[in-house]
Amino acid sequence: MEKKTHVDHLNSEILNYDKYYNRVKEEKEFSDYREQWEKASNFELETNFPLQIEFELHNACNFRCTFCPFSFEKEKMPINFDLPKKEKILDYDLYKKIIDEGSKNGLKAIELGFNTEPLLYKQIIPAIKYAKEKKVVDIRITSNGSKLTPELSTELIDAGLTHLSVSLDAFSKEVFLKVRASKLYEKVVKNLLDFIEIRNNRKSALPTIRVSFVENEENKHEKEDFVSFWKDKVDLLSMQSLIKYDATPEALKSKKKLGAIKYNCHQPWTRMVVRSNGDIIPCCTVPGMEFKLKNSKDVTLKEVWDSSYLKNLRKDLKNGEGYKNKICKSCIENIENKNS
């Protein structure tokens, strides 16, 4: 097995990356795109168009995880987190227009979800199929897994899904209830294991499968067991540091003092996000929602990607000078264990 690692310059430790890479490397388009991703993530390649576009399909979720602003009172939510009711569902024609633009500009990947639950979106299957028709290489979703029935799993794979990530953050129903405010732990685990079995029975490399764990004071004692259980079942594990907001419960926060912070970040080097109202932002973090660059109904993503504003932002984040931008500075300083 070829050894590969991936360095995240924000808040994630990626485990099993060599297993993931060896699963997809035989697909030449896929391996080429991942090589570009690694170079862009390490500030070595500034592409002509974002490698990945993330779509907020709708500004809603059916979970109320304690570390997520969906669980906060509205007046305590971060800036621009909650959108007006008429702006909460992404127009499907706008989605297709953006995919069309991406298809002409070498778009490699899309993420359907962006801090929300994508399986609530009524057009999720057509959205995946359309991206596949337009030759998007990596079609990804991040889900809480509660709606991931075997029937829907089969539909998603048939439609062309290439990557599933499920946010778990626990290794017991008690901790799952504490951090994800849900009694569905056993159902979610079963749904994911069923998905893995369906994928494996097809003897297909894709979709790849990831689980994630946002470490906090309420779940950190389960981290080792979580890794031990899932490492041989999935292709990737994403162990994430908590990003704190003003309304984050004190019980979740670490009491450790932060060490020296490096003000770098790879996100605006690899992706852009289109929100459910069409607004374009340069990263997939909640603090990044404060950015309002332009609206995709009015401009192309290429125009925004090539703007002097984003070029200068990328330069500052490469050079460890993200503190020059107040949104990036606040985000980076509120990560409990910022990566270098």
Side-chain angles (χ1 to χ4, degrees):
M1 180 184 286
E2 187 177 347
K3 282 287 181 186
K4 284 279 185 176
T5 58
H6 171 76
V7 177
D8 179 283
H9 292 285
L10 194 63
N11 73 321
S12 298
E13 179 188 8
I14 306 297
L15 308 182
N16 272 17
Y17 189 76
D18 51 351
K19 181 180 177 182
Y20 165 81
Y21 182 81
N22 280 282
R23 180 173 273 279
V24 302
K25 72 177 183 179
E26 299 307 319
E27 310 261 348
K28 182 156 191 334
E29 277 195 331
F30 220 101
S31 59
D32 288 350
Y33 132 68
R34 290 312 299 180
E35 291 295 333
Q36 288 184 59
W37 185 272
E38 291 306 312
K39 288 179 181 177
S41 293
N42 287 296
F43 317 116
E44 298 166 3
L45 173 67
E46 188 169 17
T47 56
N48 293 324
F49 194 78
L51 291 170
Q52 178 169 299
I53 298 171
E54 305 199 11
F55 291 91
E56 183 181 46
L57 298 176
H58 51 183
N59 183 230
C61 187
N62 60 334
F63 271 32
R64 292 295 178 266
C65 304
T66 53
F67 51 80
C68 174
F70 273 118
S71 69
F72 303 168
E73 295 173 16
K74 281 202 174 188
E75 61 272 16
K76 293 182 179 178
M77 289 178 174
I79 294 171
N80 297 334
F81 184 85
D82 185 52
L83 296 177
K85 190 173 181 180
K86 65 180 181 179
E87 298 181 9
K88 281 187 175 290
I89 300 176
L90 180 70
D91 179 76
Y92 187 60
D93 286 335
L94 178 60
Y95 166 81
K96 291 196 294 183
K97 173 192 161 214
I98 294 165
I99 293 293
D100 290 347
E101 181 193 350
S103 180
K104 293 171 186 171
N105 286 282
L107 173 67
K108 302 298 182 187
I110 61 169
E111 171 82 36
L112 301 174
F114 177 62
N115 294 299
T116 62
E117 177 45 54
L119 299 185
L120 298 175
Y121 188 62
K122 291 179 180 178
Q123 301 271 37
I124 186 68
I125 298 300
I128 292 169
K129 286 180 176 177
Y130 193 78
K132 184 179 181 182
E133 287 169 15
K134 293 294 178 174
K135 309 299 183 188
V136 176
V137 176
D138 197 7
I139 303 166
R140 311 163 66 90
I141 64 170
T142 297
S143 170
N144 60 41
S146 63
K147 302 288 185 184
L148 195 67
T149 63
E151 295 75 22
L152 181 54
S153 294
T154 300
E155 276 194 86
L156 290 167
I157 296 171
D158 287 343
L161 185 72
T162 60
H163 179 82
L164 169 72
S165 180
V166 175
S167 306
L168 286 173
D169 310 308
F171 189 63
S172 69
K173 60 184 180 182
E174 293 79 15
V175 171
F176 195 79
L177 180 59
K178 270 187 180 179
V179 299
R180 297 191 70 79
S182 168
K183 296 179 180 179
L184 300 178
Y185 174 73
E186 290 161 333
K187 178 183 179 181
V188 169
V189 169
K190 183 180 185 307
N191 286 348
L192 179 52
L193 292 174
D194 285 345
F195 187 96
I196 294 169
E197 184 178 6
I198 292 166
R199 192 275 309 265
N200 289 348
N201 284 344
R202 293 179 176 222
K203 301 191 178 348
S204 171
L206 302 172
T208 53
I209 300 164
R210 182 183 88 162
V211 291
S212 65
F213 186 98
V214 177
E215 184 177 350
N216 57 70
E217 291 299 297
E218 296 277 24
N219 69 1
K220 66 180 185 180
H221 62 285
E222 294 196 334
K223 182 177 176 179
E224 262 186 51
D225 288 337
F226 178 90
V227 172
S228 179
F229 180 80
W230 288 108
K231 67 180 181 180
D232 294 326
K233 294 178 174 64
V234 300
D235 307 303
L236 285 170
L237 295 93
S238 178
M239 314 307 289
Q240 301 172 9
S241 296
L242 181 70
I243 299 179
K244 298 174 291 187
Y245 315 108
D246 290 344
T248 298
E250 289 300 318
L252 299 179
K253 296 178 184 176
S254 171
K255 304 300 183 282
K256 291 180 184 175
K257 289 188 177 178
L258 288 174
I261 298 173
K262 191 159 187 181
Y263 289 87
N264 61 358
C265 177
H266 65 285
Q267 293 221 359
W269 281 76
T270 56
R271 75 197 77 199
M272 296 179 86
V273 175
V274 177
R275 300 206 59 195
S276 60
N277 62 357
D279 283 346
I280 302 167
I281 61 176
C283 70
C284 72
T285 68
V286 169
M289 291 176 176
E290 192 172 344
F291 284 103
K292 284 185 77 170
L293 303 178
K294 295 280 184 180
N295 191 286
S296 54
K297 296 170 189 171
D298 306 319
V299 297
T300 65
L301 268 66
K302 174 76 170 158
E303 289 174 78
V304 178
W305 183 258
D306 288 341
S307 67
S308 57
Y309 180 86
L310 267 196
K311 284 184 177 293
N312 288 330
L313 182 66
R314 286 194 285 268
K315 182 184 73 173
D316 289 342
L317 290 168
K318 172 184 179 178
N319 294 335
E321 296 177 337
Y323 54 80
K324 291 180 177 179
N325 183 287
K326 72 180 183 70
I327 300 172
C328 295
K329 181 176 186 292
S330 175
C331 176
I332 288 169
E333 290 177 353
N334 280 288
I335 297 170
E336 290 214 324
N337 189 21
K338 166 72 172 68
N339 296 337
S340 62

